[in-house]
Amino acid sequence: MKRWHIVAAICLLVVGFIFCVVPLSSQATELTLWTRIPEILDGWDYIISEFEKLHPDVRISHRLLDWARTAEILLPAFAAGTAPDLIDICDVSIMKQLGERRMFVDLTEFYSEYRDRFPMAVDVYAAVDGRYYGTPIIVSALAHIYYNKNLVEKYGITPTDDWTYSDFLDACEKLKNQGEIPIVNGNKEGLDGEHWIQALMTETIGGSGIMALLERTDPDTGPRWTDPKVVQAVQAFEDLHKRGYFIEGMAAMGQFVAHLQFAAGKAAFHHLGTWISASLAKHPEFRWGWFRFPHMAGEIGATRNGGVVSHLDLITINSSSVHQDIGLEFIEFYTRPEVSGHAFYDLCHQHPSVAGALKGKELSEFDQASIEFYETCDDNAIWFSVYLPHEVGTEHITRASTAISSGELSAIEFCKRLEKAHQDNLRAAQE
Amino acid sequence: MRGPAFFLLPALILYVVFVIVPLCGTVALSFTHWRGFDFRTLRYIGLSNYGKLVSDPVFWKSLFNTFVFTGVSVTLQVTVALVVALFLEQNIFLGKFFRGGYLMPAAISLVIIAIVFDLLLSPALGILKELFKPVGLQRLARFGMWFSDPKKAIWGLSLIQVWYGFGFSMFIFISGLKSIDPQLFDAAQVDGASGLQKIVYITLPLLKGTASVAFLLATMWGLSVYALPYVMTRGGPGHATEVLSTWAYYSGFQYQQMGYGSTIAIALLLLGLTVSFLIFKFSAIGKIE
């Protein structure tokens, strides 16, 4: 036998061993989990590790998606048949489409058994036509403005929860006249602009008014995006730009860059959701405070405790998964209050959705204020862009808000285009 | 099967699988309405997507932006590359070093370039102000603010594209310059021609073919640009830096209109074919002088 015959035979044996024997020797059941929130990565690592200890024959492979592009990665995976077993869905519009086609496992029975774990506010995110398809992870709210204590104290400004919108504008004017930056937000992605518009609309038409707009089914009747109170809210956002209260270059500044600017003490006010506290906790030297989004005198928001209480991210089980039973066990495990509480609060400083997860924990003043809002909010609305079809919400609210920030689009034109797009979409749905 | 065809087969198979098949798929999708995740929902709608294209203001805006971006970046890129190539061929000190250095950006992924420039030019985090302030040029640091101005943002991206691509165009010109017979310059020298006259009457005419190639490649790069506007501006603010490729992506993947996104991609393909046909027709590529 020639030498190269022997070498070739050995190579074949090695390759054969690697591809055939090694997989056979691994008896572990593998599940794939895709999530998208980097701030709770440590929490998922803990949950997976603990779950695998309880189930030694199970391995969970976790992938973190780009938080802003989850749908774009996920939908082609479904089309190609390569979607994971467990998926973090953060989009009501996507949840609805996939839920209607039964592409997720129906969790209605699970909910009926474990209903006490989940607040009622979850339903609008997790349910499609009365059936539940996902379990929530963390809760957050959009109802506050955060402020730089050093900067406001320097100019004798004392924000409180009783501030009106006029008080807020006066404070911004004072800071601007002193050469300071009143408000820092980054609207390159359009999300900060959307949040401002949503908060202002909560004041002018209330959360219930927003939901009426979002749930509209008839293009020719019902509330419209061109109604005077809606236009008023968008004009208020535009007005903040015209007054020069926003940081220069907001239209080109990313959301996370704006966080950093605020944490670096470069501006007085920052408007974002309660998830900001986890970011600010990384800057212990920065003194910050918060106050309720100021009410506009005489508007409906002044009579209510409105805002957004969001259980946006939900874990779903792919109905094509061959490990649905293990997926159900995983969901039951991570939604145990003690597990959720440790994973998402102790390790990641986020607020778990699961009821009782924070019981017995030492909560900061901000945590208490956030929880109080989650429990007392009486005028809740869902995020615009995850409820409306993306060609309406993302295009004509999120991205269009960047055009307002750059001065290219007026508030009235914003509302007109949004109304037309929504009407066209509703007509297409009717056909 | 033998001879050249046999050796071409592997590349041909790869080309068919990764270029022709997806292209045919894109053409087919352009006649459908599909939300992108369940093939059971795919339905044939004829030429509706093409009709929608005509009435879509964002499509026309992105087409305009594509022309502006390509026109500005190609013109500057080719011009700067030619000037630098002529300069470097004068055997200047460290000429070879600069030759390699100018080519380096083209070897780096455009996504990385976009991320780096996004940070560098950030009005908040960028270091331009600190770099230019000591030399009294802090006004130049306001270049980062261009990306929040709907009128200037596309120009800002074009300048970055010039920086990225001129090294490659310069490389093409240097290759062309080296192919010119030096005896022509000697003869011109004997006849008393100045340096400028040599460039105008010998170098430039003989570089026509090379210039056409540089022009063609730069144009194809410009038309197909995606990474720069997507990473740096997301096509914004508004749609100020939306180009055809980003609009095709957003329409298809973010707005779940795969059919319409494919239609925009076909429009971009047809644009590229038309432009390259015109370049071949009116340039010196492939023509014997």
Side-chain angles (χ1 to χ4, degrees):
Chain A
M1 211 174 175
K2 292 183 180 174
R3 188 188 294 183
W4 75 266
H5 286 154
I6 299 169
V7 171
I10 292 171
C11 288
L12 269 172
L13 276 171
V14 169
V15 168
F17 178 80
I18 292 169
F19 282 100
C20 300
V21 176
V22 170
L24 285 173
S25 68
S26 164
Q27 296 296 320
T29 302
E30 284 225 12
L31 270 82
T32 45
L33 165 67
W34 289 5
T35 65
R36 63 145 209 145
I37 308 175
E39 288 87 349
I40 57 172
L41 199 53
D42 288 344
W44 284 120
D45 286 345
Y46 165 76
I47 288 169
I48 290 168
S49 156
E50 293 301 304
F51 186 79
E52 286 176 351
K53 282 179 195 167
L54 291 174
H55 301 81
D57 56 340
V58 172
R59 288 286 169 271
I60 297 181
S61 153
H62 179 208
R63 176 183 169 188
L64 183 70
L65 302 180
D66 179 344
W67 68 274
R69 294 177 49 237
T70 313
E72 295 150 51
I73 298 167
L74 192 57
L75 295 180
F78 268 104
T82 57
D85 301 290
L86 299 160
I87 314 143
D88 175 352
I89 294 289
C90 61
D91 191 312
V92 174
S93 164
I94 301 290
M95 174 68 92
K96 196 167 183 297
Q97 291 176 67
L98 270 59
E100 282 171 351
R101 286 167 180 81
R102 305 288 185 264
M103 294 175 87
F104 298 134
V105 168
D106 190 331
L107 297 175
T108 309
E109 267 187 46
F110 178 88
Y111 263 79
S112 57
E113 190 179 343
Y114 296 101
R115 183 71 237 207
D116 56 332
R117 290 186 182 180
F118 309 114
M120 295 308 293
V122 166
D123 287 16
V124 71
Y125 294 92
V128 177
D129 298 331
R131 315 296 298 177
Y132 291 88
Y133 293 102
T135 49
I137 308 170
I138 55 175
V139 59
S140 58
L142 184 77
H144 302 90
I145 292 180
Y146 305 90
Y147 65 90
N148 174 342
K149 278 188 176 174
N150 290 341
L151 204 50
V152 302
E153 283 169 6
K154 185 177 170 187
Y155 297 105
I157 297 169
T158 48
T160 68
D161 283 347
D162 297 323
W163 255 16
T164 64
Y165 194 69
S166 298
D167 294 331
F168 172 65
L169 292 180
D170 289 342
C172 289
E173 187 66 25
K174 187 174 182 179
L175 288 158
K176 181 189 156 195
N177 292 338
Q178 297 294 334
E180 304 288 356
I181 301 170
I183 310 169
V184 62
N185 271 106
N187 206 22
K188 182 160 101 173
E189 300 91 353
L191 286 170
D192 278 12
E194 180 190 330
H195 294 156
W196 268 102
I197 292 171
Q198 178 127 20
L200 289 162
M201 278 178 63
T202 303
E203 293 304 311
T204 60
I205 64 171
S208 55
I210 292 174
M211 290 309 296
L213 270 170
L214 297 179
E215 290 172 340
R216 188 171 147 206
T217 53
D218 189 331
D220 299 313
T221 60
R224 290 169 189 250
W225 295 98
T226 46
D227 288 343
K229 288 295 182 186
V230 177
V231 176
Q232 179 187 339
V234 184
Q235 281 177 331
F237 175 61
E238 185 186 22
D239 185 54
L240 291 172
H241 290 85
K242 286 182 177 170
R243 288 173 183 243
Y245 293 162
F246 282 122
I247 191 169
E248 200 186 11
M250 179 184 171
M253 187 180 293
Q255 196 183 47
F256 289 124
V257 172
H259 285 348
L260 291 174
Q261 289 295 96
F262 181 63
K266 297 288 176 68
F269 301 119
H270 187 45
H271 174 55
L272 206 68
T274 51
W275 60 85
I276 192 180
S277 65
S279 305
L280 295 178
K282 294 174 189 166
H283 305 273
E285 71 290 351
F286 177 61
R287 295 175 61 236
W288 59 281
W290 65 91
F291 55 95
R292 275 286 278 122
F293 194 91
H295 293 310
M296 292 177 171
E299 299 296 339
I300 198 170
T303 63
R304 301 177 183 182
N305 189 22
V308 177
V309 175
S310 166
H311 299 269
L312 182 61
D313 287 81
L314 302 137
I315 296 294
T316 58
I317 305 173
N318 186 349
S319 61
S320 301
S321 169
V322 297
H323 306 300
Q324 291 178 20
D325 51 342
I326 303 174
L328 275 168
E329 287 183 46
F330 181 82
I331 278 179
E332 190 281 323
F333 178 74
Y334 97 79
T335 56
R336 293 178 192 175
E338 66 278 13
V339 175
S340 211
H342 182 67
F344 300 130
Y345 184 74
D346 295 337
L347 297 177
C348 308
H349 209 81
Q350 298 287 333
H351 302 143
S353 288
V354 169
L358 295 178
K359 197 172 174 184
K361 299 217 185 278
E362 203 176 307
L363 303 176
S364 69
E365 207 181 319
F366 180 71
D367 290 330
Q368 290 171 27
S370 303
I371 291 162
E372 190 193 330
F373 180 74
Y374 302 149
E375 291 169 353
T376 60
C377 175
D378 58 12
D379 197 24
N380 192 9
I382 202 167
W383 304 109
F384 293 140
S385 59
V386 300
Y387 193 87
L388 291 168
H390 289 184
E391 61 267 31
V392 178
T394 307
E395 171 63 14
H396 293 283
I397 300 178
T398 317
R399 292 194 74 190
S401 75
T402 67
I404 293 183
S405 291
S406 65
E408 198 187 6
L409 193 65
S410 69
I412 292 172
E413 195 55 36
F414 172 98
C415 293
K416 281 182 183 169
R417 290 185 189 185
L418 174 55
E419 176 59 25
K420 182 176 182 311
H422 199 184
Q423 282 189 8
D424 289 347
N425 183 264
L426 289 171
R427 287 201 179 92
Q430 284 178 337
E431 281 166 15
Chain B
M1 183 179 285
R2 48 187 172 182
F6 180 73
F7 288 99
L8 279 173
L9 199 58
L12 195 61
I13 290 171
L14 286 173
Y15 185 73
V16 167
V17 168
F18 291 107
V19 178
I20 302 300
V21 169
L23 177 61
C24 295
T26 304
V27 171
L29 271 178
S30 70
F31 298 108
T32 67
H33 174 78
W34 184 43
R35 298 295 281 184
F37 59 90
D38 186 356
F39 280 105
R40 291 171 296 181
T41 62
L42 191 150
R43 54 188 176 87
Y44 173 76
I45 57 170
L47 294 172
S48 296
N49 283 328
Y50 290 92
K52 185 177 173 183
L53 203 69
V54 172
S55 59
D56 178 7
V58 181
F59 168 73
W60 293 107
K61 175 74 178 165
S62 60
L63 181 64
F64 175 75
N65 286 341
T66 304
F67 277 130
V68 169
F69 178 87
T70 306
V72 170
S73 62
V74 169
T75 307
L76 289 176
Q77 186 175 316
V78 171
T79 309
V80 169
L82 177 59
V83 167
V84 171
L86 288 170
F87 191 62
L88 289 179
E89 279 301 287
Q90 303 306 312
N91 291 320
I92 59 166
F93 178 62
L94 291 179
K96 285 182 183 164
F97 168 77
F98 284 119
R99 212 180 291 167
Y102 291 145
L103 186 57
M104 231 189 298
I108 303 171
S109 159
L110 196 49
V111 174
I112 308 291
I113 301 279
I115 292 170
V116 170
F117 269 97
D118 192 34
L119 288 170
L120 200 64
L121 300 176
S122 166
L125 298 177
I127 62 169
L128 286 189
K129 209 182 347 183
E130 310 309 319
L131 275 178
F132 289 132
K133 204 172 165 184
V135 294
L137 291 172
Q138 54 265 36
R139 283 193 64 149
L140 286 180
R142 293 194 59 81
F143 178 52
M145 295 300 297
W146 284 26
F147 298 98
S148 61
D149 185 333
K151 292 188 172 59
K152 292 180 183 169
I154 195 71
W155 291 85
L157 292 179
S158 305
L159 291 177
I160 295 172
Q161 176 74 9
V162 170
W163 176 88
Y164 173 71
F166 97 92
F168 189 76
S169 300
M170 176 205 73
F171 186 73
I172 294 173
F173 280 120
I174 287 175
S175 308
L177 286 168
K178 290 208 180 299
S179 68
I180 297 175
D181 188 349
Q183 289 183 359
L184 293 171
F185 295 107
D186 295 338
Q189 181 81 23
V190 167
D191 289 340
S194 68
L196 183 62
Q197 283 172 323
K198 284 182 209 170
I199 290 172
V200 172
Y201 294 108
I202 300 175
T203 309
L204 290 182
L206 290 175
L207 276 183
K208 260 198 242 176
T210 309
S212 301
V213 171
F215 190 80
L216 174 70
L217 290 175
T219 303
M220 291 302 109
W221 272 7
L223 288 175
S224 62
V225 70
Y226 172 80
L228 262 184
Y230 183 77
V231 173
M232 289 196 72
T233 59
R234 300 283 192 273
H239 291 290
T241 56
E242 196 82 69
V243 291
L244 286 174
S245 52
T246 56
W247 187 228
Y249 173 80
Y250 276 116
S251 297
F253 290 97
Q254 196 162 81
Y255 303 154
Q256 294 181 261
Q257 296 173 339
M258 282 298 196
Y260 186 58
S262 300
T263 310
I264 299 168
I266 297 298
L268 178 57
L269 170 69
L270 292 174
L271 176 67
L273 286 173
T274 307
V275 169
S276 54
F277 169 76
L278 290 171
I279 292 174
F280 271 102
K281 189 170 170 62
F282 294 109
S283 74
I285 295 177
K287 290 180 184 148
I288 300 167
E289 300 199 9

